[in-house]
Amino acid sequence: MTHPKARALLLALLSLATFGLIGAEAVRNTDGVVHSFTLPKPNSGPTTLAIAPDGVVWFTLSSANAIGRINQDLTGYQEFPLPNAQSGPRIISLGSDGNMWFSEHTGNRMARITKDGTITEWSIPTPDSQPRAIALGSDGNIWFGEFAGGKVGRITPRGEITEFQIPTRDAGPRALAAGADGNIWVSEFKASKVARLTPTGVFTEFPLPRENGGPGDITAGSDGAMWFLELSGTMDGLKPDGNRIARINLNGEIKEYPLPSAQPTAINVAVGPDGSVWYSKNNTLGRVTPAGDIKEFPIAEGPARAVGLTAGADRQTPVHLTDKLWFTEGNRIGYLQFK
């Protein structure tokens, strides 16, 4: 597992590489080739992905109520059913213990799966909290958002859970990510705010420029700032007026960039091998440079729904894996090749 200081240094180096050359294009280019694997069971619902230190790609199968994994060359597919029915595995991430951790959205649990497929689950104290996004914090713990519970939780590698109430009630924490500052950054979907949460549980909230911005998935950019999606359409009882990607610096200053295509909404964000922020949307993957320039790349012909997105363990690109941006789309796992 990358030490927090080493991770911060990596982010800084990526930022220098991006700005020191002629934009991200000079660092690494996509060659436009999409490689994919169709899952053997129809309607498995692959959702989000994370990559283990050995390069194995792990992903949640929300509809199949299982966790899947596959090798970098799209061979060796395996599937691990969850112990309890209708658990709704949602977001997966690498933990500091070297295992993969994931949220059970409808099961109201946090869970861990080891390399050999052993699954251990822990119930969340708040009933029906709807855990969604998770991320590895600088403290070595896994942090998770409770969308219906209005809280952010922390679970240690031993399974000890602590919950922190968000100051704005019913904020709807939809996504969270670790920042280069050592804090956890949280998208408050219902409150139209982004919050900064210290490892000790202290919140600072930053309102979006618009009351109905609908902040969604969030990640740490190679420029040291946090980048997040602003959703659009109808979801969770709201109609957010988003269709943007936004940047918030570590002081809470926000800048927004409209996405070039309209509905449907963008879903996930991740840092790609080129140091740019990428997002999944419909049948495309979109690239956003640190300067805010956006270009979209098709990954399927006709209607499609790209969802999960990653190039590494927690939407960050590790040093030893620098040529693929992985995604989930429909009933397949694939990647966009870089060169």
Side-chain angles (χ1 to χ4, degrees):
M1 179 61 215
T2 304
H3 188 277
K5 290 184 178 179
R7 181 175 179 275
L9 176 60
L10 175 60
L11 290 175
L13 291 174
L14 284 173
S15 179
L16 289 173
T18 300
F19 286 108
L21 298 174
I22 308 175
E25 289 281 349
V27 178
R28 194 171 291 274
N29 298 315
T30 59
D31 66 8
V33 176
V34 172
H35 307 263
S36 65
F37 172 83
T38 300
L39 301 180
K41 297 179 182 179
N43 305 314
S44 292
T47 306
T48 60
L49 318 93
I51 301 176
D54 60 2
V56 173
V57 182
W58 293 79
F59 44 91
T60 54
L61 299 170
S62 295
S63 300
N65 201 53
I67 300 298
R69 73 180 181 191
I70 198 167
N71 297 326
Q72 286 280 319
D73 60 359
L74 297 175
T75 64
Y77 175 75
Q78 289 182 279
E79 193 173 303
F80 304 93
L82 269 57
N84 295 285
Q86 299 180 339
S87 293
R90 195 66 170 260
I91 313 297
I92 190 166
S93 180
L94 176 67
S96 60
D97 58 355
N99 298 310
M100 309 308 292
W101 290 71
F102 59 95
S103 58
E104 297 184 8
H105 182 66
T106 52
N108 202 48
R109 291 178 288 265
M110 292 296 296
R112 177 188 67 205
I113 184 168
T114 62
K115 188 175 182 179
D116 65 3
T118 301
I119 297 174
T120 306
E121 300 172 312
W122 291 271
S123 295
I124 296 172
T126 299
D128 303 317
S129 67
Q130 295 183 7
R132 291 194 177 182
I134 69 174
L136 177 62
S138 62
D139 57 356
N141 298 314
I142 290 289
W143 292 75
F144 58 94
E146 301 177 21
F147 185 76
K151 302 174 182 178
V152 172
R154 179 186 67 203
I155 182 168
T156 69
R158 295 170 60 93
E160 300 161 337
I161 295 178
T162 305
E163 297 174 296
F164 302 93
Q165 180 70 54
I166 297 175
T168 300
R169 294 288 174 173
D170 195 26
R174 192 180 187 94
L176 53 78
D181 57 355
N183 297 314
I184 297 295
W185 288 75
V186 186
S187 292
E188 300 180 13
F189 175 72
K190 293 183 179 180
S192 197
K193 299 176 181 178
V194 171
R196 183 180 62 213
L197 173 61
T198 69
T200 58
V202 178
F203 284 93
T204 304
E205 296 178 301
F206 304 99
L208 268 62
R210 291 164 296 107
E211 294 183 357
N212 197 26
D217 201 23
I218 186 169
T219 191
S222 63
D223 58 352
M226 305 300 295
W227 289 76
F228 62 94
L229 295 173
E230 296 184 21
L231 308 181
S232 59
T234 300
M235 58 194 71
D236 297 310
L238 299 178
K239 292 184 177 180
D241 176 27
N243 201 45
R244 296 169 173 83
I245 190 166
R247 178 187 185 275
I248 181 169
N249 67 22
L250 301 185
N251 294 320
E253 299 168 330
I254 298 172
K255 186 173 183 179
E256 300 173 308
Y257 303 93
L259 299 183
S261 57
Q263 296 285 358
T265 189
I267 301 293
N268 280 169
V269 292
V271 175
D274 57 351
S276 297
V277 172
W278 288 74
Y279 60 85
S280 57
K281 179 181 173 72
N282 197 17
N283 63 349
T284 65
L285 299 183
R287 182 189 63 203
V288 188
T289 69
D293 299 320
I294 301 174
K295 182 178 180 180
E296 294 185 336
F297 300 81
I299 59 171
E301 295 182 3
R305 187 172 186 267
V307 184
L309 196 64
T310 194
D314 194 12
R315 292 172 291 190
Q316 302 293 325
T317 304
V319 174
H320 68 293
L321 299 171
T322 58
D323 63 341
K324 299 171 184 173
L325 180 63
W326 289 82
F327 62 86
T328 63
E329 183 278 309
N331 201 49
R332 64 177 180 152
I333 303 295
Y335 60 85
L336 183 63
Q337 184 74 54
F338 285 68
K339 62 181 180 179

